[in-house]
Amino acid sequence: MAVKAIDSATLWPYLGPDGGYDQATIDDMYAQYSAYNYFIPTLGRFYIYFAFVVDGMDDAVALSDCSLQLDNYPDYTPEIEVSKYMIPGEAKASVSFVEETAYALYAVSNRPHSSAILDYIIEKGETENMIYKITVPGEVKLPTGAHNKVSDLIVITFDKDGEPLEMASKLFTIVDDEADKWKSLGKAGVFCDILEGTVFEIAGNNYEVEVQQNISNPALYRVVDLYGADSPLTTPEQVVSPYHSYIVFDTTDPEMVQVAHTDLGIDMGGGSFIVYADATEKLYGGKSVDDIKAGGRCGTFVDGMISFPDKGLQIICDDFSVFGGTKNAAYGCGGFQLDLDGLSGIENVAVADGQKTTYFNLQGLPVDNPGPGMYIRRQGSKVTKVMVK
């Protein structure tokens, strides 16, 4: 097998007359890849797209890109020091870069960054709200708009002409109990196959977790310390966050439950675990709601049950290779079910407009404010027996 930089001459022997492609088609194919072959003088770095070819075969067997860094050039990559878990009012980071860097821009994204987010920072610069410029390395204060969800600190260095050089990013979470915004509903049964199948290669677990409901938005539920110290899978030493860990389920659309990127607060040797809904990630990527629902991986909220099918939740880790996986890959989790039916104080928002929820005692008399006990609950045409705790 040989490795060759892609150019028109390289492609011709493999895609020419014997391969069924004419010269014009090959030139067009080369043009698609030539944009990836370039040299950046400021960085002293080549980027080259390669074709892996085998003599005697009529096609390249693989394509890959690589970079070549020349010696004696400054490394413009900024360095970031930030705690993974912080509380509001104490969110800060230390940013450093080489003296050849003219300045840096930094911003915080409420989800792991994408090329679109980087392009936005470069295009808007410090003229846009929440994008900050620093000319001297040191400590910076971080905006803390999103609580209990993963945020991404992004730093991009620039030269004196305003051209972007390099970037770096670090994930962190602003942890806030927000006790005045949530009410406890008690313990709920959960079937969980997030780490069970992906990390431990065991069947999913059934156990109980504390569930809370948002006071101002009853469509939001959160579980507390899913893999905390009481979990059968984790030891106290593996619970690395000094604060509670919350996973928030947004059931506003009962046919597509949302879970933003959330740090589980534990470390089993490969760094942080971050879980999120496949549907949420696809929304970030620009897919339409109809297309996402058609894909069959959406979480649902039906009859008091939040359910995710296989791969409906995804998980990433700082280094999944510790568990036999690929370092930067995302893995689909097994099933997940959170049984909210019967919890006291619950406001079930998965009811169509006009379908009022009414409670009756076992004698059939309506009850406005049910206390602890067994009741009959009617939601539209649906009637179920529930236990209020």
Side-chain angles (χ1 to χ4, degrees):
M1 181 180 292
V3 179
K4 301 181 180 181
I6 292 179
D7 57 30
S8 184
T10 300
L11 292 174
W12 176 254
Y14 302 96
L15 305 177
D18 293 338
Y21 297 91
D22 58 25
Q23 184 64 57
T25 301
I26 294 175
D27 289 343
D28 288 341
M29 295 174 66
Y30 163 65
Q32 296 179 30
Y33 295 107
S34 63
Y36 298 96
N37 299 329
Y38 55 91
F39 174 64
I40 303 178
T42 307
L43 304 180
R45 186 177 306 154
F46 290 91
Y47 289 92
I48 308 172
Y49 217 74
F50 284 106
F52 292 81
V53 297
V54 176
D55 291 339
M57 294 184 65
D58 293 332
D59 202 353
V61 297
L63 300 173
S64 181
D65 60 330
C66 74
S67 62
L68 174 65
Q69 178 65 55
L70 300 180
D71 293 335
N72 301 318
Y73 279 81
D75 184 356
Y76 293 98
T77 306
E79 294 185 1
I80 304 172
E81 293 183 8
V82 63
S83 298
K84 285 188 176 181
Y85 315 100
M86 295 177 285
I87 60 176
E90 297 183 7
K92 57 187 178 181
S94 177
V95 176
S96 60
F97 41 82
V98 295
E99 61 181 10
E100 290 88 350
T101 294
Y103 65 93
L105 294 178
Y106 78 91
V108 172
S109 169
N110 290 335
R111 59 181 184 267
H113 69 268
S114 62
S115 296
I117 293 175
L118 298 181
D119 290 343
Y120 179 84
I121 296 172
I122 293 171
E123 176 188 356
K124 298 295 184 179
E126 62 177 331
T127 61
E128 186 70 16
N129 187 32
M130 307 297 282
I131 300 177
Y132 305 92
K133 180 178 180 179
I134 51 176
T135 57
V136 179
E139 187 175 281
V140 298
K141 186 176 181 180
L142 303 180
T144 58
H147 293 183
N148 305 315
K149 302 174 184 178
V150 165
S151 295
D152 196 358
L153 171 59
I154 305 162
V155 181
I156 305 174
T157 54
F158 292 79
D159 64 15
K160 59 182 177 57
D161 297 319
E163 292 296 319
L165 298 170
E166 293 282 14
M167 65 81 61
S169 69
K170 286 288 184 71
L171 300 178
F172 67 93
T173 301
I174 302 298
V175 184
D176 188 356
D177 291 337
E178 298 179 319
D180 60 329
K181 298 180 181 179
W182 297 81
K183 64 177 180 179
S184 178
L185 301 178
K187 296 283 188 177
V190 62
F191 169 80
C192 187
D193 190 4
I194 295 178
L195 295 182
E196 286 80 351
T198 54
V199 174
F200 297 98
E201 298 183 350
I202 62 175
N205 274 329
N206 288 286
Y207 49 96
E208 289 189 331
V209 293
E210 182 187 354
V211 179
Q212 299 174 353
Q213 186 176 32
N214 191 273
I215 296 171
S216 62
N217 184 358
L220 302 180
Y221 300 92
R222 68 181 188 181
V223 298
V224 184
D225 296 335
L226 180 64
Y227 288 100
D230 295 333
S231 168
L233 295 182
T234 53
T235 65
E237 293 77 17
Q238 293 170 332
V239 181
V240 294
S241 173
Y243 313 105
H244 286 300
S245 173
Y246 300 99
I247 302 179
V248 177
F249 298 88
D250 185 344
T251 66
T252 301
D253 183 347
E255 296 180 350
M256 193 173 73
V257 177
Q258 300 295 311
V259 177
H261 291 71
T262 306
D263 193 311
L264 295 178
I266 59 175
D267 186 340
M268 297 182 177
S272 298
F273 290 103
I274 295 172
V275 66
Y276 54 90
D278 179 74
T280 304
E281 177 73 3
K282 285 183 168 58
L283 276 178
Y284 291 161
K287 280 202 170 186
S288 70
V289 171
D290 289 342
D291 286 344
I292 295 172
K293 290 181 178 180
R297 291 187 180 179
C298 290
T300 59
F301 185 33
V302 179
D303 296 339
M305 182 80 73
I306 295 175
S307 302
F308 285 85
D310 287 351
K311 300 183 180 178
L313 292 173
Q314 303 279 323
I315 193 166
I316 55 177
C317 181
D318 288 347
D319 187 2
F320 234 114
S321 64
V322 173
F323 311 105
T326 303
K327 183 173 183 178
N328 295 316
Y331 288 86
C333 304
F336 180 92
Q337 291 184 325
L338 179 64
D339 187 1
L340 303 178
D341 196 29
L343 284 171
S344 61
I346 187 171
E347 296 180 42
N348 194 331
V349 298
V351 182
D353 290 341
Q355 294 186 355
K356 180 181 178 181
T357 299
T358 306
Y359 288 89
F360 302 85
N361 60 25
L362 297 184
Q363 288 73 45
L365 299 175
V367 179
D368 292 332
N369 298 299
M374 185 70 71
Y375 296 88
I376 298 171
R377 182 178 64 193
R378 183 175 67 195
Q379 297 170 310
S381 61
K382 179 177 175 57
V383 178
T384 55
K385 185 181 290 186
V386 298
M387 172 65 76
V388 176
K389 300 179 180 179

